[in-house]
Amino acid sequence: MNRKISEKLIEMLLFASAATAIIIVALILIFLVKEGLPIITKVGIIDFCLGMRWNPIAMVGDPTYGIFPMIVGSFYVAIGSLVLAVPFGIACAVFLAEIAPSWARSLLKHSIELLVGIPSVILGFVGLVLLVPFIKDHLGGWGFSILASSIILAIMALPRIISISDDAIRAVPMDYRDASLALGATHWYTIRKVILPSARSGIVAAVILAMATSIGETMAVLMVAGNVSMLPSPIYDILDPVRPMTSNIALEMSYATGDHACALFATGIVLFIVVAVLNAISHRALKSRMGVER
Amino acid sequence: MSEIEIESKDLNLWYGTAQALKEITMAVPTKKVTAIIGPSGCGKSTFIRCINRMNDLIKDCRVTGELLFEGMNIYDRDVDVVTLRKKIGMVFQKPNPFPMSIYDNVAYGPRLHGVKEREELDRIVEVSLKAAALWDEVSEIPDRSALGLSGGQQQRLCIARTLAVEPNVVLFDEPCSALDPISTAKIEDLINNLKRDYTIVIVTHNMQQAARVSDYTAFFLLGEIIEFGKTKQIFEMPDKKSTEDYITGRFG
């Protein structure tokens, strides 16, 4: 009897812990929506998301709250980081999973883990004192730029892309390799035609997850992006500065009041939705892999 | 004995310091079925994986002695493993079709070896699937995923995939151990038909299977070849006591 009660008690405690986690997430979400939604309805969702001008403290005339350049900025630096990190990351994962002897593998794995451990502010700092002047001197522009942000974000995205892709590649059954090799295929042909296609959904998941974290990254980007709330001009100029959504919130939250503060929360809502959608896509990609294999 | 396709002379193999094959000497006759039987761990799978050098993939694997195929030692330094494996195909224990369409599975080998024209590929796929007795079941659905087929169909697809590169020899590594009796019977029929065109080596745990499908049988024990001869003779009048004990089920 006693045992039954203690069992029940433990179950309830565990349930309470789980429930608390969900409640915290829900409360944050509710708070975010409660704070941000009024300004979206006031400005209009279209004008808010697609508006070109962000001028929350207008000296003359009404303040404007258009975050389109920031949405573009967020995607710009995130996609830029993927362009740099994905080919390199997948190549690294293939080496790790397929080619590296065990000592090289453990060395690489450990250095990748170290890379994850570097606080983003340090990467931002390195970007600020090394990358930004380098770009300014050798490529032109102001130095603070999409390019600088993309490079820093790529460095941050690499370990994630490598380790998830490595897992995906190693999950490809040995049987496939054997079958391909036994037909006379070379190792490289086998990697290209059988192993990578079989690991594709896992790799896609890794890439999308990396994109979601890149979009959500704040500190490192803030330090090198330049934070000008305008579209690059011309639009493809990667040496122009941008202000991603995260930087916008971080830069202005300390002194914003009233509608301005609301607009920052609203930026947060947009950011949250973007990241949630990307995470959901990545999750689906991972699940679809299971579907194929079972 | 008829013509010889593969000849093994004093073949030794070590995994690290453990010797898995000891002085294996036997000859695999051309266009016959040679079965290799023996208890688990006797080296029979290791032996057939030598024939197409699949053991190369295993670390610390060392081979001495000779394994002759087309007058060349398979383990010579200048043997091209790719060409060797094209000529000596292998069907594995567990059906292992690629996660692609049925068509692409069979076309994988020909594409790999440079066949590009669609018509030629179509022809090879059809011929191979017919040879593997699978054509009637899949001719309508070549674009379906191979993973949707039953285990027996998958194994016949793997056979078709192996035949598509037109090997001289097909190695079967316990091809039926993951299959039900009906699928097993189909594969056995298939092997019987294939020996007209191919030299076949089959490793099996199943004594009845060896007796049913093979012309010659080798009995392996603890990495050594105990007895090799015509299947009829091995099963009816074995020379060695341990062969008889194994075949009659006294150990295994």
Side-chain angles (χ1 to χ4, degrees):
Chain A
M1 197 61 207
N2 236 340
R3 197 181 302 154
K4 257 189 181 167
I5 292 170
S6 68
E7 193 80 355
K8 259 271 161 313
L9 209 70
I10 287 167
E11 275 176 20
M12 277 166 64
L13 267 171
L14 293 175
F15 172 76
S17 322
T20 312
I22 295 168
I23 289 167
I24 290 171
V25 174
L27 284 177
I28 290 174
L29 212 67
I30 290 166
F31 176 71
L32 195 64
V33 171
K34 182 182 144 289
E35 293 291 314
L37 206 55
I39 191 75
I40 294 181
T41 46
K42 189 169 159 190
V43 178
I45 184 148
I46 303 223
D47 281 342
F48 183 74
C49 289
L50 298 180
M52 296 298 278
R53 266 177 64 77
W54 173 263
N55 189 11
I57 320 172
M59 297 298 172
V60 197
D62 289 332
T64 50
Y65 302 101
I67 64 163
F68 186 66
M70 301 174 207
I71 296 177
V72 172
S74 281
F75 275 94
Y76 228 138
V77 296
I79 289 168
S81 74
L82 294 186
V83 169
L84 296 171
V86 166
F88 191 61
I90 293 176
C92 198
V94 167
F95 177 74
L96 260 182
E98 285 292 318
I99 296 157
S102 56
W103 63 267
R105 184 181 161 77
S106 73
L107 189 73
L108 256 164
K109 272 262 170 198
H110 283 113
S111 20
I112 289 163
E113 274 160 30
L114 263 175
L115 203 56
V116 180
I118 300 175
S120 68
V121 67
I122 291 178
L123 282 172
F125 186 60
V126 169
L128 189 66
V129 298
L130 291 180
L131 201 55
V132 168
F134 182 87
I135 291 172
K136 188 179 165 195
D137 294 346
H138 293 88
L139 300 172
W142 189 29
F144 294 97
S145 55
I146 295 168
L147 182 63
S149 320
S150 296
I151 292 172
I152 295 297
L153 284 176
I155 294 169
M156 298 178 74
L158 260 182
R160 178 167 282 104
I161 293 177
I162 293 170
S163 68
I164 301 179
S165 304
D166 175 47
D167 287 347
I169 292 169
R170 287 166 69 84
V172 175
M174 212 53 198
D175 299 348
Y176 294 171
R177 291 177 182 81
D178 283 356
S180 175
L181 294 172
L183 287 167
T186 58
H187 193 183
W188 174 234
Y189 190 90
T190 304
I191 291 171
R192 274 191 307 139
K193 296 288 179 176
V194 177
I195 296 177
L196 283 180
S198 307
R200 188 176 50 209
S201 52
I203 294 172
V204 167
V207 169
I208 294 170
L209 206 64
M211 183 166 175
T213 24
S214 284
I215 285 183
E217 170 52 34
T218 311
M219 202 52 194
V221 177
L222 176 78
M223 292 168 80
V224 297
N227 302 319
V228 177
S229 175
M230 280 197 318
L231 289 178
S233 86
I235 189 76
Y236 52 80
D237 189 357
I238 54 170
L239 298 176
D240 263 12
V242 286
R243 175 187 289 198
M245 290 184 272
T246 49
S247 306
N248 190 42
I249 301 170
L251 282 168
E252 299 187 359
M253 199 50 111
S254 56
Y255 60 87
T257 52
D259 279 355
H260 184 193
C262 286
L264 294 179
F265 278 110
T267 310
I269 296 176
V270 175
L271 188 61
F272 177 82
I273 290 170
V274 169
V275 172
V277 167
L278 289 174
N279 280 338
I281 295 171
S282 153
H283 204 75
R284 275 187 79 104
L286 271 178
K287 259 173 91 174
S288 80
R289 176 178 64 166
M290 305 298 179
V292 167
E293 274 172 13
R294 298 294 123 89
Chain B
M1 206 187 263
S2 55
E3 224 177 303
I4 301 301
E5 182 91 49
I6 297 162
E7 199 172 0
S8 168
K9 287 181 180 166
D10 300 328
L11 191 76
N12 290 293
L13 182 144
W14 289 264
Y15 293 128
T17 53
Q19 187 167 8
L21 294 176
K22 291 170 195 161
E23 306 286 317
I24 302 293
T25 297
M26 68 180 275
V28 176
T30 305
K31 294 192 180 168
K32 297 274 186 258
V33 178
T34 303
I36 300 176
I37 58 170
S40 303
C42 69
K44 55 193 190 303
S45 283
T46 299
F47 177 69
I48 73 161
R49 289 174 74 95
C50 280
I51 300 176
N52 65 348
R53 290 200 33 186
M54 287 302 280
N55 285 331
D56 286 13
L57 306 173
I58 297 163
K59 236 175 38 176
D60 300 329
C61 173
R62 200 158 51 83
V63 178
T64 66
E66 278 189 322
L67 196 52
L68 299 171
F69 171 68
E70 295 184 337
M72 282 259 276
N73 184 0
I74 288 172
Y75 277 89
D76 257 0
R77 221 170 261 276
D78 48 347
V79 162
D80 177 25
V81 179
V82 168
T83 318
L84 176 77
R85 290 185 184 149
K86 186 177 180 299
K87 289 182 181 161
I88 304 182
M90 184 166 214
V91 175
F92 295 84
Q93 188 167 358
K94 211 175 110 207
N96 57 356
F98 300 127
M100 321 169 173
S101 71
I102 293 165
Y103 185 96
D104 287 340
N105 260 283
V106 183
Y108 184 89
R111 279 183 179 137
L112 156 71
H113 296 294
V115 179
K116 289 204 177 72
E117 303 80 30
R118 183 74 194 194
E119 285 152 37
E120 177 68 359
L121 282 174
D122 285 352
R123 189 192 63 79
I124 296 172
V125 169
E126 182 175 340
V127 168
S128 310
L129 285 171
K130 278 180 175 163
L134 190 60
W135 176 252
D136 295 339
E137 290 156 66
V138 301
S139 62
E140 304 289 316
I141 50 163
D143 296 326
R144 292 250 189 97
S145 166
L147 302 184
L149 298 173
S150 74
Q153 288 173 324
Q154 286 189 8
Q155 193 61 303
R156 276 178 286 146
L157 180 65
C158 293
I159 294 172
R161 185 176 63 186
T162 305
L163 299 182
V165 299
E166 297 172 350
N168 304 3
V169 181
V170 183
L171 310 171
F172 288 86
D173 189 358
E174 299 186 37
C176 301
S177 62
L179 303 182
D180 62 85
I182 293 168
S183 302
T184 300
K186 281 187 182 161
I187 304 260
E188 286 180 11
D189 284 349
L190 185 54
I191 290 172
N192 246 322
N193 292 329
L194 288 177
K195 73 175 176 188
R196 269 191 311 229
D197 301 310
Y198 304 91
T199 298
I200 290 171
V201 183
I202 177 171
V203 162
T204 177
H205 256 122
N206 181 329
M207 240 83 63
Q208 288 79 27
Q209 182 169 66
R212 280 193 300 262
V213 301
S214 70
D215 304 300
Y216 293 87
T217 297
F219 173 59
F220 276 47
L221 188 61
L222 300 171
E224 285 178 275
I225 186 160
I226 302 296
E227 199 168 347
F228 175 57
K230 289 215 153 120
T231 299
K232 204 168 151 53
Q233 181 217 322
I234 296 271
F235 277 85
E236 286 170 10
M237 302 173 284
D239 280 343
K240 304 271 168 55
K241 177 84 169 54
S242 55
T243 312
E244 192 182 344
D245 285 351
Y246 182 69
I247 286 165
T248 52
R250 231 162 284 170
F251 75 96

